[in-house]
Amino acid sequence: MQVEGNSQNQNIAHKSRSSESDLCLADWDCDSSVNVEAMAVYSGVTPRHLAPVVHLLGVMGIVLMIVWTYSFRGGYGLSGAAVFNLHPLIMFAGFIFLSSEAIVVYKLVNGEKVYQKAVHMTVQGVAIFLAIVGVCAAYKFHIDNGIQNFYSLHSWFGVMTIVLYVVQWGLGFVAFWQQSVVKAKRAELLPWHVFVGIAAYAAALATAELGLLEKLTFLQKGASPLGLWSSEAMLVNFIGIAIFAYGASVVLTTLVPNSRKEAGYRDLLE
């Protein structure tokens, strides 16, 4: 009977510790003194290891985009083809690059969670604003030249992407910055916030690739067709590959965890 009683007490204690651990993982403000047992310790490649590669690929993409739009397409301005050249430059160097930095910075910035959230949301907000500016540049070029708007898959993806970003930013501001949602609901919303963020980012990359393909097709089918193997055509292809590599490195950075000790991954919910 004594042995059976001890066994029952051990089971109760184990269940209590498990419940406490589960509660801590679901609670945004759990006490750091809670001892979370049996947490896996990750010691592999971390976001800090990947950050130099991410930044290098991003800068490389910007340089290639500038070479194309300035050296091959004639530079920038507020009228004619020059205003359209602002569209791909702003959408990549402004929107995609800053959006990528906003994603990566949340994993890299040291300090309190409120500071990390502030940097993340500020950079993401600037990226969304620049995306709208980039769309306006393309819209103005179309209006000035009597070209239809929003008929292509590229433009549809673009509108969908900006809507996703705006909704994601707004919900993130309400739920995670103002914390207008109760703790349990925030814990439930967190994986969806991450998923929608990655999905919106993937849509932005797809939009950029579709835009390059659309523009290159127009150039190769125009009055003075661009050669299939011309240096400009090859440059645009390299830009497309650079965008893919850059986006893949950013997504990898979001999926790779920071190294953790006994606290496991609890602070991701704070």
Side-chain angles (χ1 to χ4, degrees):
M1 294 292 293
Q2 183 66 27
V3 174
E4 183 178 353
N6 291 337
S7 177
Q8 290 177 347
N9 290 336
Q10 291 175 355
N11 290 336
I12 292 174
H14 177 71
K15 290 180 179 179
S16 177
R17 288 193 299 268
S18 299
S19 299
E20 190 176 38
S21 174
D22 292 342
L23 179 60
C24 182
L25 288 173
D27 195 337
W28 285 58
D29 303 308
C30 56
D31 190 349
S32 60
S33 64
V34 175
N35 183 22
V36 182
E37 298 181 354
M39 280 292 181
V41 177
Y42 179 79
S43 59
V45 176
T46 67
R48 294 196 178 279
H49 295 134
L50 296 171
V53 177
V54 173
H55 298 320
L56 178 61
L57 290 173
V59 172
M60 184 185 302
I62 292 175
V63 170
L64 291 175
M65 188 66 74
I66 292 175
V67 170
W68 178 44
T69 53
Y70 186 82
S71 299
F72 285 89
R73 293 287 95 205
Y76 319 107
L78 298 178
S79 61
V83 71
F84 182 83
N85 292 338
L86 291 171
H87 174 68
L89 179 64
I90 293 175
M91 296 308 288
F92 181 75
F95 177 47
I96 291 180
F97 181 77
L98 287 182
S99 177
S100 302
E101 292 299 308
I103 294 172
V104 172
V105 77
Y106 193 76
K107 286 289 196 79
L108 299 179
V109 171
N110 294 320
E112 297 295 329
K113 283 295 178 182
V114 64
Y115 175 67
Q116 293 176 325
K117 292 177 183 178
V119 174
H120 173 72
M121 294 195 64
T122 301
V123 178
Q124 200 70 277
V126 174
I128 294 172
F129 171 76
L130 290 176
I132 296 173
V133 172
V135 170
C136 290
Y139 184 79
K140 183 180 187 306
F141 173 76
H142 286 181
I143 293 299
D144 292 345
N145 292 274
I147 302 173
Q148 291 291 329
N149 286 288
F150 307 117
Y151 66 90
S152 66
L153 183 60
H154 166 65
S155 61
W156 284 28
F157 254 80
V159 172
M160 178 186 69
T161 299
I162 293 178
V163 170
L164 281 175
Y165 265 85
V166 171
V167 172
Q168 172 81 342
W169 193 94
L171 292 178
F173 179 82
V174 172
F176 301 113
W177 177 254
Q178 289 189 327
Q179 296 190 353
S180 301
V181 181
V182 296
K183 296 177 182 179
K185 289 298 182 182
R186 291 204 301 272
E188 293 177 6
L189 285 173
L190 180 59
W192 290 103
H193 179 72
V194 175
F195 167 74
V196 174
I198 294 177
Y201 182 69
L205 297 175
T207 303
E209 302 287 16
L210 287 170
L212 291 175
L213 177 62
E214 182 177 299
K215 182 62 176 179
L216 190 56
T217 301
F218 288 157
L219 292 175
Q220 292 174 339
K221 301 295 183 181
S224 301
L226 190 69
L228 297 178
W229 294 94
S230 64
S231 56
E232 182 176 357
M234 295 300 101
L235 175 60
V236 173
N237 288 344
F238 275 114
I239 293 174
I241 294 173
I243 291 175
F244 169 77
Y246 179 53
S249 67
V250 171
V251 173
L252 178 61
T253 304
T254 65
L255 298 178
V256 170
N258 289 312
S259 58
R260 295 288 188 269
K261 295 183 179 180
E262 292 182 358
Y265 299 95
R266 186 177 66 241
D267 66 329
L268 293 177
L269 292 176
E270 293 176 354

